Amino acid sequence: MRIKLLIILSLALIIPNSLISQTRKDTIPSFFGVSYIPSLNWKVFNLNNDDGDFLKYKFDLNSQSVFEGNFSINKIGMRLGLSANIENNFIGKAYRYTGYIGIKSFWLRVQSSQVSGTVYWSGEMPLGDMRFLRQFNFSNKYLNIELLKTSKAYKHMAGGVEMNRILGTYWGVGYTSMGFPLKLSTLTTPGGRENQKFGVPAFDTLFTAKFYTVCFGFDLLRQICMTKGKYSSIPGKPANRFGMYASTQDKIGFGPGKVSNYGISMAEALNPNLKAVSGKNFSSMVHYTLSVGFRYIIRARPVLFILAGGYDLEGASIVNFGGAADTNKDLGLESSFFFINHGVSFKLYMSWIGKN
């Protein structure tokens, strides 16, 4: 039902614009960008440790790749780009349909990283039950797909159009999926949610969550591609060959979160005679990213190249709703958490600027 509502909402926003954009050329030049973090550092924190901090993580150093871009041949309306039809998400379908109905000023961004390592559980264990382990090796995928569009957020603010040209403000919609081992706080009650108290905590080897998101931000590197290097912080002058860059994004999303059968079984084994509520929850995510560093521009017509190196930081808070215990037979589950990752990044952008 949620996906159907998203499709209806998106078509309502897209179709009116398509009627006037069928004959228009792309409002952004063809460009491609790649960002690579060779060693990404991860940390995960449970938001509720009132019942003890029993789960310790040791993450491997995995790489992260980000690809983005939009390639089009305006004369024949052909569009080439990245594939977003991963995990059969709605964003991939929306990107394809924007090409079908003539909206070509969008571009795609795909971020992917493997998250792996070892977790160690120091809390209570079900006696004599060999199904459960204190130490567990994990490996899961972290994925972000975003459909983005330039914004005029500063049109009516200080600086106006010039500020927009410098900052490269944008907005978009996206899809995020992730999976982590998590500590599960358990909740018991003699009756009524208002009387809940903590039971014996357990842990889940794979909590998964999927979100549909709305984002906005600015990106100085991407904006150099969008404006073909014609604008800088000094009005009337092109971007300098060498300089600093910054990009940032705020994002909020909602979607399903799910506790695996392992986590439910362990929670019930540690809290006998109680039945766990559904492991499926409605989840929310508040997300932030920041990248800063130095960049160098090479103009080799008809292409402009940007080489950059810096440091990237990403963090998000995930809150799960619906795991409360209502009766003395229920076992509630609480699995909200916060994650952060960071690492040195290397970036390459290419933009078609023409021969003149």
Side-chain angles (χ1 to χ4, degrees), residues 161-180:
V161 175
E162 288 298 328
M163 181 61 70
N164 226 51
R165 287 172 174 171
I166 295 168
L167 288 180
T169 53
Y170 67 91
W171 62 271
V173 293
Y175 168 82
T176 297
S177 67
M178 64 185 72
F180 298 102

Side-chain angles (χ1 to χ4, degrees), residues 2 182-185 187 193 204 206-211 253-260 264 276-285 318-325 331-337:
R2 290 197 199 101
L182 285 182
K183 191 198 78 171
L184 296 177
S185 294
L187 301 167
R193 296 191 177 191
D204 188 9
L206 182 58
F207 173 88
T208 56
K210 298 179 179 181
F211 303 96
F254 301 94
K258 184 180 180 182
V259 176
S260 75
I264 292 175
V277 299
S278 174
K280 297 181 180 179
N281 300 299
F282 178 71
S283 302
S284 69
M285 177 178 70
I318 287 84
V319 177
N320 299 298
F321 302 93
L331 181 65
L333 301 174
E334 161 57 39
S335 53
S336 300
F337 65 100

Side-chain angles (χ1 to χ4, degrees), residues 79-212:
R79 233 178 123 182
L80 305 175
L82 304 166
S83 173
N85 294 317
I86 306 171
E87 297 186 9
N88 195 32
N89 67 86
F90 171 69
I91 302 304
K93 296 179 177 65
Y95 180 64
R96 186 169 71 248
Y97 291 134
T98 59
Y100 290 161
I101 62 180
I103 299 178
K104 296 180 287 186
S105 59
F106 288 83
W107 71 94
L108 198 66
R109 180 178 184 270
V110 179
Q111 174 191 13
S112 178
S113 175
Q114 199 71 17
V115 185
S116 65
T118 303
V119 290
Y120 181 78
W121 176 252
S122 60
E124 289 189 37
M125 293 287 289
L127 295 177
D129 197 329
M130 303 302 293
R131 294 177 298 168
F132 307 109
L133 304 172
R134 284 199 176 274
Q135 185 170 303
F136 182 82
N137 297 326
F138 65 93
S139 181
N140 309 299
K141 192 170 186 178
Y142 176 63
L143 176 69
N144 277 308
I145 299 174
E146 294 170 345
L147 184 62
L148 304 173
K149 193 179 190 305
T150 53
S151 167
K152 296 181 179 179
Y154 284 81
K155 183 177 180 180
H156 304 291
M157 300 173 65
V161 175
E162 288 298 328
M163 181 61 70
N164 226 51
R165 287 172 174 171
I166 295 168
L167 288 180
T169 53
Y170 67 91
W171 62 271
V173 293
Y175 168 82
T176 297
S177 67
M178 64 185 72
F180 298 102
L182 285 182
K183 191 198 78 171
L184 296 177
S185 294
T186 62
L187 301 167
T188 66
T189 179
R193 296 191 177 191
E194 68 278 8
N195 298 315
Q196 288 184 115
K197 62 179 182 179
F198 286 120
V200 180
F203 91 95
D204 188 9
T205 56
L206 182 58
F207 173 88
T208 56
K210 298 179 179 181
F211 303 96
Y212 281 101

Side-chain angles (χ1 to χ4, degrees), residues 5-19:
L5 291 175
L6 284 168
I7 292 173
I8 294 171
L9 177 60
S10 298
L11 290 176
L13 294 172
I14 289 173
I15 289 176
N17 290 328
S18 70
L19 298 177

